């Protein structure tokens, strides 16, 4: 059920369960979804599919040779309506899950799909004994940034690409306890 402004309350739809994407075809669709969500023009679909297939093959090679990586998607029939990537990284003595390429196609926003993918990623990160989930949000994505803050993420950094674009770096503790903060010096009241 849509409201007059097009918002679909999450409770109006059955909860979508993200599926792990593991085949070249699924990863090709993953990259096409990310690129289209970021405004890539759809001028030559056959060429775009070729480029995405090359990216999918590179992704498969990285999955075998590097940090564990997991790709998730929620489908609407044959097409992906939401996607997200999770990498497991070592950060000092801890392991962190790193969320990237989280994208929800415009007509499916407001249905809780990004949250469903994030919950699946948190569960997988915990399986790997990660203490934090880290994420990036592009500076032009104000809604994504507010959503992350509301979900308990804290700002840990900012990278500027130029005077008009950048990304916010965020982190959220997902297991264990926060380390104790040192007491403030007496002269700070």
């Amino acid at each position: 059920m849509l409201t007059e402004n097009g918002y679909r309350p999450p409770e109006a739809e059955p909860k979508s369960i993200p599926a792990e994407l593991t085949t070249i075809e699924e990863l090709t669709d993953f990259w096409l979804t990310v690129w289209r969500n970021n405004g890539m023009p759809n001028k030559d679909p056959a060429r775009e599919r070729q480029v995405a297939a090359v990216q999918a093959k590179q992704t498969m090679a990285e999955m075998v040779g590097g940090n564990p990586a997991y790709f998730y998607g929620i489908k609407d029939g044959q097409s992906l309506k939401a996607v997200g990537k999770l990498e497991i990284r070592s950060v000092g003595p801890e392991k962190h899950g790193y969320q990237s390429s989280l994208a929800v196609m415009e007509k499916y926003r407001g249905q809780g799909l990004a949250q469903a993918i994030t919950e699946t990623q948190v569960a997988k990160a915990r399986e790997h004994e990660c203490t934090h989930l880290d994420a990036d949000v592009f500076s032009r994505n104000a809604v994504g940034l507010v959503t992350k803050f509301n979900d308990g993420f804290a700002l840990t950094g900012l990278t500027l690409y130029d005077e008009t674009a950048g990304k916010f770096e965020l982190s959220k503790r997902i297991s264990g306890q926060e380390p104790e903060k040192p007491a403030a010096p007496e002269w700070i009241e």
Side-chain angles (χ1 to χ4, degrees):
M1 164 178 101
L2 291 176
T3 62
E4 63 186 58
N5 67 359
Y7 175 76
R8 181 187 320 264
E11 63 277 2
E13 295 289 324
K15 180 135 179 159
S16 298
I17 307 295
E20 192 170 337
L21 309 176
T22 58
T23 69
I24 293 291
E25 188 65 27
E26 289 173 330
L27 291 173
T28 297
D29 290 341
F30 174 93
W31 289 114
L32 285 170
T33 301
V34 169
W35 297 339
R36 288 185 181 137
N37 190 65
N38 286 324
M40 182 180 91
N42 190 9
K43 294 180 182 175
D44 183 352
R47 175 73 179 131
E48 289 169 7
R49 184 160 273 299
Q50 280 181 319
V51 172
V54 169
Q55 180 70 39
K57 289 175 185 169
Q58 290 173 341
T59 299
M60 291 290 277
E62 291 170 8
M63 288 168 66
V64 171
N67 293 328
Y70 304 91
F71 295 79
Y72 297 97
I74 299 173
K75 289 187 176 184
D76 177 21
Q78 292 299 318
S79 63
L80 288 167
K81 52 186 181 177
V83 297
K85 175 183 176 186
L86 173 71
E87 260 183 79
I88 307 300
R89 298 178 174 179
S90 293
V91 179
E94 298 179 326
K95 287 186 192 174
H96 286 213
Y98 173 68
Q99 178 188 64
S100 64
S101 303
L102 183 61
V104 178
M105 299 306 288
E106 189 171 0
K107 71 180 185 176
Y108 299 107
R109 292 181 185 159
Q111 298 179 26
L113 302 179
Q115 184 63 36
I117 288 175
T118 299
E119 289 170 6
T120 300
Q121 292 173 327
V122 167
K124 181 60 82 172
R126 285 181 175 144
E127 285 178 26
H128 283 273
E129 300 178 354
C130 293
T131 58
H132 291 80
L133 182 65
D134 300 333
D136 294 335
V137 176
F138 287 113
S139 58
R140 69 175 186 266
N141 186 356
V143 172
L145 185 61
V146 169
T147 300
K148 290 292 186 199
F149 284 144
N150 288 340
D151 193 30
F153 282 81
L155 183 64
T156 57
L158 173 65
T159 300
L160 295 176
Y161 301 123
D162 59 33
E163 59 275 348
T164 63
K167 68 178 178 180
F168 295 98
E169 297 156 8
L170 307 161
S171 188
K172 172 184 175 178
R173 181 166 280 277
I174 59 171
S175 68
Q177 293 183 356
E178 285 286 344
E180 286 190 32
K181 295 180 181 168
E186 291 177 18
W187 51 271
I188 296 179
E189 298 283 331

